[in-house]
Amino acid sequence: MISTKQSFRFGLKRIFAVLSVVSMAALPLQAQNAISPFQQAVAQAAAGDETLATFYRERGYQGIWSTRGDADRRNALLAAFASAADHGLPQARYDADALMAQLAAADTPQEQGALEVAISRQFLDYARDIQTGMLVPSRIDEAIHRQVPLRSPLSTLRAFSQSTPAAFLRALPPASPEYTRLLAEKMRFERLIGSGGWGPTVPGRKYERGDSGAGVVALRNRLIAMGFLEPITTQVFDDAIFAAVQQFQLAHGLATDGTAGQGTLEQLNVSPEQRLQSIIVAMERERWINRPRGERHIWVNITDFTAKIIDRGEETFSTRSVVGARYDERATPEFSDVMEFMVINPSWYVPRSIITKEFLPQLQQNPRAVSNLIITDRSGRVVDRASADFSAYTAENFPYSFREPPSQGNALGLVKFMFPNRYNIYLHDTPAKSLFGREVRAFSHGCVRLADPFDFAYALLARQVSNPQEVFQAHLATGRERRVDLEQPVPVHLIYRTAYTQAGGRTQFRRDVYGRDQRIWNALARQGVALRAFAS
């Protein structure tokens, strides 16, 4: 079987190596003397691949690429291969020139039959790559639990053989507005890089109103090149530069104080090549989630530290969030699930990892530590701290569970939003409100804390009750744990985008807080993805 990771120009050599050991046993005995040499070659070349064998058997081993009447299909595929790099795919993986040479050189029925099957393999690889991505997410980072919506190869071949070729191939990439805008941004950055980029970087560590000199001029020029400032000649950090810095900060998830401090300068000095990498990674990520997301869904972008409610493609609610800290065991994972209910006045059942890593050492020093937690044994009986010998236990054999009852100071705050999953991740309130004022908000143990949890609850309940605030507050006032089911469960998508677009607005860039996008780019580069530049 031909590997798509190798150059297609070596395809025929490998095909004929396979043909030398494949017998005609795959065909019914009475058919072996009735079919043409081309059909024999097709049958033999497809015999080791269940999808291709089934497809060609259904067609009586007739081709879809090899006859004069298949010219439209061949030309459409060649055009798609030639534009693969537009989508951030490795151009050498779909070598249109090599394929044209192979087609021209295939003189005998045996060569044509073998090439027929090789082209179908290449088509299927291209269809998979551009629809649902080249990479396996969990192999890049074990915290990316993304279930890629792979299509059936056999169904893809059947549909293609019965469709208008060019239209079918144009419909393969994700149809989401986000993917379309990312594609346009990719090409814009390629032209930008080809024209020299944004010019020199900005030296220094901090610039603010009233400053002047060479550093301010470099800042001014960089902002003009980036499109945040109209061309001006001032050498002073004036109101126009102040406003432009704020706009830059807004587009990069920075505190919008208008001062070009160290963090802002670091982002200003990121090269357009690095931004282009982020866009290409975002396109691959968009292919991983190429399926309906729900008419109403919750969109949590880990890198943006926000949680949003999206209704029919429009953002109807947004709140700041705190996500997992930058440790492997605390980083918020990526996955999709369905929110089914909320719990008002929740108890916090402490995860065992937190008990053994954080609380057990404290109790061994002082049995009265973490006094807000109730300790219970395996039978649910409350443990008397005074008589318990915590020093007798290790993380492996500690037998107790911890629970924090509902309260204003509860670690989960006063409401949590549940989409039951094996990662024990959910959205919730928090008493640690000061963290929402930080620029980088990666502090939790993995769950997502919300700055405006009550308003989030009201927005969810508004679809099933006429007075959502009243209903919520009535449950809250009891002080007792209450479960409120969502009559229409809502899909939740925990995603990670360092580049994303806005309809009619600027492309947004964010820090790679967990380093995941850099790992994805490295994997794409190993597959042959490369940056391009075009002089405008």
Side-chain angles (χ1 to χ4, degrees):
M1 182 174 178
I2 296 173
S3 169
T4 58
K5 297 179 182 178
Q6 296 176 304
S7 172
F8 187 79
R9 61 173 54 94
F10 298 112
L12 280 182
K13 181 178 178 182
R14 298 198 59 186
I15 289 171
F16 288 121
V18 172
L19 292 183
S20 67
V21 297
V22 175
S23 74
M24 288 292 292
L27 290 174
L29 183 62
Q30 64 271 26
Q32 292 182 25
N33 296 321
I35 68 174
S36 68
F38 172 83
Q39 290 169 293
Q40 291 179 26
V42 169
Q44 289 175 317
D49 185 309
E50 184 177 352
T51 293
L52 292 170
T54 300
F55 174 71
Y56 282 108
R57 185 170 58 247
E58 291 173 348
R59 296 179 55 81
Y61 301 101
Q62 299 294 332
I64 63 172
W65 310 103
S66 305
T67 71
R68 191 169 293 178
D70 296 327
D72 286 348
R73 193 173 287 121
R74 290 194 302 270
N75 291 337
L77 186 65
L78 286 166
F81 282 3
S83 62
D86 292 348
H87 294 269
L89 300 176
Q91 191 65 61
R93 189 167 180 158
Y94 323 99
D95 193 335
D97 291 338
L99 179 54
M100 290 173 66
Q102 298 272 349
L103 288 165
D107 293 328
T108 68
Q110 289 79 11
E111 290 174 339
Q112 292 166 355
L115 183 58
E116 164 73 30
V117 176
I119 296 174
S120 289
R121 284 197 179 99
Q122 190 81 341
F123 160 74
L124 286 176
D125 290 337
Y126 171 81
R128 180 202 60 218
D129 291 350
I130 202 165
Q131 274 190 321
T132 54
M134 291 179 290
L135 305 177
V136 178
S138 60
R139 293 180 184 171
I140 308 303
D141 191 300
E142 61 183 13
I144 307 178
H145 307 287
R146 183 64 57 204
Q147 298 300 312
V148 175
L150 296 172
R151 275 48 165 185
S152 161
L154 182 57
S155 297
T156 298
L157 264 176
R158 286 169 174 163
F160 179 64
S161 68
Q162 299 168 13
S163 302
T164 303
F168 185 95
L169 290 163
R170 282 196 302 270
L172 284 176
S176 67
E178 175 69 2
Y179 188 85
T180 301
R181 292 192 293 262
L182 286 168
L183 182 60
E185 276 296 273
K186 175 181 177 292
M187 295 181 178
R188 184 177 76 84
F189 267 80
E190 289 168 343
R191 292 191 297 271
L192 169 69
I193 294 167
S195 300
W198 293 316
T201 57
V202 183
R205 296 180 59 85
K206 185 177 182 181
Y207 301 97
E208 52 192 346
R209 268 190 176 131
D211 288 348
S212 61
V216 171
V217 171
L219 172 64
R220 178 203 69 192
N221 292 344
R222 189 84 168 177
L223 290 168
I224 291 171
M226 288 181 160
F228 291 96
L229 182 64
E230 294 295 323
I232 56 175
T233 58
T234 182
Q235 298 184 27
V236 177
F237 195 122
D238 59 9
D239 289 347
I241 293 179
F242 179 86
V245 170
Q246 284 187 312
Q247 288 302 308
F248 175 86
Q249 290 169 330
L250 188 64
H252 292 78
L254 306 170
T256 54
D257 59 8
T259 296
Q262 183 175 357
T264 296
L265 290 178
E266 284 175 358
Q267 294 303 304
L268 267 165
N269 288 332
V270 171
S271 70
E273 288 83 1
Q274 288 174 276
R275 297 303 189 196
L276 179 55
Q277 289 180 13
S278 296
I279 291 168
I280 293 172
V281 168
M283 293 173 71
E284 174 75 357
R285 285 181 168 280
E286 191 71 6
R287 291 189 282 262
W288 292 350
I289 198 169
N290 184 15
R291 57 157 54 100
R293 294 165 196 182
E295 178 185 312
R296 159 171 275 203
H297 61 269
I298 295 163
W299 194 251
V300 180
N301 187 355
I302 295 167
T303 68
D304 187 39
F305 309 108
T306 57
K308 301 176 179 180
I309 297 176
I310 309 296
D311 287 299
R312 295 178 179 172
E314 299 293 328
E315 178 186 314
T316 56
F317 180 86
S318 179
T319 182
R320 289 167 294 159
S321 71
V322 168
V323 301
R326 300 178 191 182
Y327 309 106
D328 288 342
E329 69 274 12
R330 293 192 183 185
T332 300
E334 301 170 49
F335 65 100
S336 295
D337 214 298
V338 179
M339 186 176 291
E340 300 173 2
F341 61 94
M342 66 183 73
V343 178
I344 303 171
N345 297 315
S347 294
W348 180 39
Y349 296 89
V350 185
R352 182 168 180 83
S353 60
I354 299 177
I355 293 173
T356 56
K357 291 180 181 179
E358 298 184 27
F359 295 159
L360 177 57
Q362 294 181 46
L363 290 167
Q364 289 172 337
Q365 294 293 321
N366 176 15
R368 298 183 182 279
V370 290
S371 58
N372 57 312
L373 301 176
I374 296 172
I375 305 175
T376 57
D377 63 17
R378 291 189 176 92
S379 300
R381 295 185 296 265
V382 176
V383 173
D384 180 7
R385 290 169 178 257
S387 59
D389 182 7
F390 295 112
S391 64
Y393 301 109
T394 66
E396 287 70 33
N397 65 10
F398 190 69
Y400 302 135
S401 299
F402 288 25
R403 176 176 66 87
E404 184 176 28
S407 71
Q408 288 278 351
N410 185 291
L412 302 183
L414 295 172
V415 60
K416 66 177 180 179
F417 304 89
M418 300 299 294
F419 38 106
N421 57 81
R422 62 192 180 97
Y423 317 112
N424 200 28
I425 297 296
Y426 41 88
L427 277 56
H428 65 86
D429 182 19
T430 176
K433 303 295 186 184
S434 64
L435 294 178
F436 293 107
R438 303 284 187 92
E439 188 175 270
V440 176
R441 299 188 289 274
F443 299 103
S444 81
H445 283 85
C447 287
V448 178
R449 306 174 189 172
L450 305 181
D452 305 295
F454 289 8
D455 291 334
F456 187 75
Y458 304 156
L460 292 173
L461 293 174
R463 285 201 166 186
Q464 62 192 61
V465 297
S466 58
N467 52 345
Q469 184 170 347
E470 214 175 295
V471 168
F472 181 89
Q473 290 294 333
H475 287 302
L476 187 65
T478 66
R480 295 191 298 274
E481 190 167 318
R482 294 289 182 88
R483 169 174 167 153
V484 179
D485 290 333
L486 298 180
E487 293 177 2
Q488 295 181 335
V490 182
V492 180
H493 306 287
L494 276 69
I495 59 104
Y496 187 102
R497 299 287 174 87
T498 58
Y500 63 94
T501 68
Q502 295 180 317
R506 295 183 184 276
T507 296
Q508 303 286 299
F509 293 100
R510 298 294 183 264
R511 294 182 176 99
D512 189 4
V513 289
Y514 299 150
R516 290 178 189 166
D517 272 15
Q518 184 61 56
R519 289 192 284 277
I520 292 172
W521 170 255
N522 292 343
L524 290 172
R526 287 194 295 271
Q527 294 289 328
V529 175
L531 300 183
R532 302 187 306 180
F534 301 107
S536 53

